[in-house]
C-alpha cells in the first residue's frame, strides 16, 4: 500500500533552541501484515498474512531451564547462517548443555539471543515437545520458507509460556 503524508515541522520546537526549518512531503510503502503466532503448548506457529492463516509450522521452543519468553517480539535481523555458542549465554564449555553449531535461516527476536531458525536435529520433536535452549526451531524447509517471506519488523507473538519477555530485551513488549 502506498502512503503519502505531509510532515509539517516548520517552526516546531525541537529542544535546546532548535526549531524545524522546513515542512516535507513523504511518500512510502507499507507491506503486507505478517504476524507469526507461536503457541508453546501446542508446538505450532501459525503464520498470518493480512489476518489470514497461510501456513502452520510445527516448532519446538525452550525446554525446562531454558524456557522461551512469552510476549510480543519483532524480527530484528536476518542471517543466512549464524554460529550459535552457548558460552555467550553463560554456559560453561564443560557443561553437558554446552553447544557450538552453525544454524541456517536465523532471525533474531531478542538481544539475549532468542532466534527463529532451522533445527534439523529436532524435527522429530517439532510439533510435539519443547527441546531447545530458548530458540524456536523448525525444519530446514520451513525455516527457508519463513526466511524468504519474513521481513525485519514482522511481529512474532508467543503464548503459553511461564517466562515473560522483558521490555528491554528487544523491539517488542509484554
Amino acid at each position: 500500500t502506498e502512503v503519502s503524508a505531509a510532515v509539517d515541522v516548520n517552526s516546531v520546537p525541537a529542544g535546546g533552541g532548535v526549531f524545524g526549518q522546513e515542512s516535507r512531503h513523504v511518500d512510502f510503502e507499507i507491506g503486507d501484515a505478517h504476524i507469526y503466532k507461536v503457541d508453546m503448548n501446542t508446538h505450532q506457529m501459525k503464520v498470518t498474512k493480512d489476518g489470514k492463516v497461510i501456513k502452520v509450522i510445527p516448532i519446538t521452543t525452550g525446554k525446562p531451564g531454558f524456557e522461551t519468553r512469552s510476549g510480543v517480539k519483532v524480527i530484528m535481523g536476518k542471517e543466512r547462517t549464524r554460529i550459535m555458542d552457548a558460552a555467550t549465554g553463560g554456559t560453561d564449555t564443560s557443561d553437558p548443555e554446552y553447544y557450538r553449531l552453525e544454524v541456517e535461516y536465523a532471525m533474531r527476536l531478542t538481544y539475549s539471543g532468542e532466534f527463529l531458525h532451522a533445527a534439523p536435529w529436532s524435527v522429530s520433536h517439532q510439533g510435539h515437545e519443547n527441546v531447545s535452549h530458548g530458540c524456536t526451531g523448525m525444519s530446514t524447509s520451513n525455516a527457508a520458507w519463513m526466511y524468504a517471506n519474513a521481513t525485519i519488523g514482522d511481529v512474532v507473538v508467543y503464548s503459553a509460556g511461564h517466562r515473560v519477555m522483558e521490555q528491554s530485551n528487544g523491539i517488542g513488549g509484554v
Side-chain angles (χ1 to χ4, degrees):
T1 305
E2 289 188 28
V3 178
S4 184
V7 183
D8 188 14
V9 294
N10 189 28
S11 301
V12 173
V18 176
F19 292 84
Q21 298 297 308
E22 185 178 340
S23 293
R24 300 268 183 198
H25 183 84
V26 181
D27 295 315
F28 56 95
E29 288 187 33
I30 299 173
D32 295 326
H34 295 158
I35 298 177
Y36 307 87
K37 296 178 181 177
V38 177
D39 185 323
M40 293 185 278
N41 279 342
T42 64
H43 317 288
Q44 303 287 321
M45 177 170 49
K46 290 183 181 175
V47 180
T48 66
K49 178 180 177 182
D50 297 329
K52 295 183 178 171
V53 175
I54 59 168
K55 191 170 184 73
V56 177
I57 298 174
I59 52 92
T60 184
T61 57
K63 63 186 176 179
F66 298 91
E67 288 88 358
T68 305
R69 293 161 178 85
S70 283
V72 178
K73 304 172 191 175
V74 174
I75 296 175
M76 297 189 295
K78 294 169 58 175
E79 299 174 57
R80 179 59 183 80
T81 60
R82 178 178 179 85
I83 299 293
M84 298 275 180
D85 189 331
T88 61
T91 303
D92 189 88
T93 56
S94 64
D95 189 314
E97 293 292 346
Y98 175 78
Y99 59 87
R100 180 180 169 83
L101 52 101
E102 183 176 65
V103 301
E104 293 187 281
Y105 308 110
M107 293 160 274
R108 180 181 285 274
L109 297 173
T110 69
Y111 297 128
S112 63
E114 288 183 18
F115 285 77
L116 298 149
H117 64 77
W121 56 86
S122 67
V123 167
S124 65
H125 300 281
Q126 294 165 15
H128 308 287
E129 183 180 14
N130 292 326
V131 297
S132 85
H133 286 85
C135 288
T136 301
M138 62 197 84
S139 71
T140 301
S141 61
N142 281 329
W145 178 88
M146 188 171 173
Y147 189 88
N149 289 282
T151 302
I152 293 172
D154 283 352
V155 175
V156 186
V157 180
Y158 283 78
S159 64
H162 303 289
R163 190 175 179 196
V164 178
M165 173 72 173
E166 304 89 351
Q167 198 71 25
S168 61
N169 195 10
I171 309 170
V174 288

